[in-house]
Amino acid sequence: MSARAKAVGKEVVSTDLAPAALGPYSQAIKIDGVLYVSGCLGIFPESMKFAGDSVEEQTDQLMKNMGEILKAAGADYSNVVKTTVLLADIGDFKVMNGIYAEYFKKDPPARSCFAVKDLPLGAKVEVECIAKL
């Protein structure tokens, strides 16, 4: 970590229990009591392969990955205040929503959801979040 990052109190959060970043970014950054979790995909950390071809399988796995990153920062789903969901096909909204709801049963966070042209590695869904620590 750079001296500048330390000076502003920026801390990189990472865990081997979630997939490694696919590029020059961190799994998450903690600063001033807030955790910013990068977009998570539905891939297994050990193989970097998708949990399956369906949006259900990918959503469930990405939420597990997100949970591991939250845990590495000392948080859990109840700390999440905002998510952004990206779907390759907006027609998958209802199915994704059903799986997503299993992880946010009480007081769900604010959320935005967008359909996008493409996602990394050909994913069907990606979710990022912000959590208050």
Side-chain angles (χ1 to χ4, degrees):
M1 182 179 312
S2 72
R4 174 77 180 129
K6 283 185 178 184
V8 297
K10 177 176 148 181
E11 179 185 339
V12 172
V13 175
S14 67
T15 176
D16 292 336
L17 299 176
L22 300 173
Y25 60 91
S26 301
Q27 288 176 328
I29 295 291
K30 187 189 309 186
I31 188 165
D32 295 332
V34 179
L35 181 70
Y36 299 89
V37 179
S38 295
C40 295
L41 300 178
I43 55 180
F44 294 119
E46 56 281 348
S47 68
M48 298 297 281
K49 295 192 184 300
F50 283 106
D53 292 329
S54 73
V55 74
E56 295 98 330
E57 293 165 306
Q58 290 187 26
T59 303
D60 189 53
Q61 184 59 43
L62 79 80
M63 293 302 293
K64 289 175 183 172
N65 294 339
M66 181 182 291
E68 292 296 341
I69 297 168
L70 289 166
K71 189 167 142 185
D76 61 35
Y77 299 106
S78 70
N79 295 91
V80 176
V81 296
K82 172 73 168 74
T83 63
T84 302
V85 177
L86 305 173
L87 289 167
D89 180 352
I90 200 67
D92 288 331
F93 179 81
K94 184 176 180 180
V95 173
M96 174 281 301
N97 214 36
I99 303 296
Y100 176 99
E102 293 175 18
Y103 291 87
F104 296 112
K105 293 180 190 254
K106 184 177 182 214
D107 301 325
R111 181 178 82 183
S112 300
C113 183
F114 303 95
V116 297
K117 184 178 181 299
D118 293 307
L119 288 167
L121 304 178
K124 294 186 182 288
V125 59
E126 180 175 359
V127 180
E128 66 178 23
C129 75
I130 300 170
K132 181 70 173 129
L133 303 174

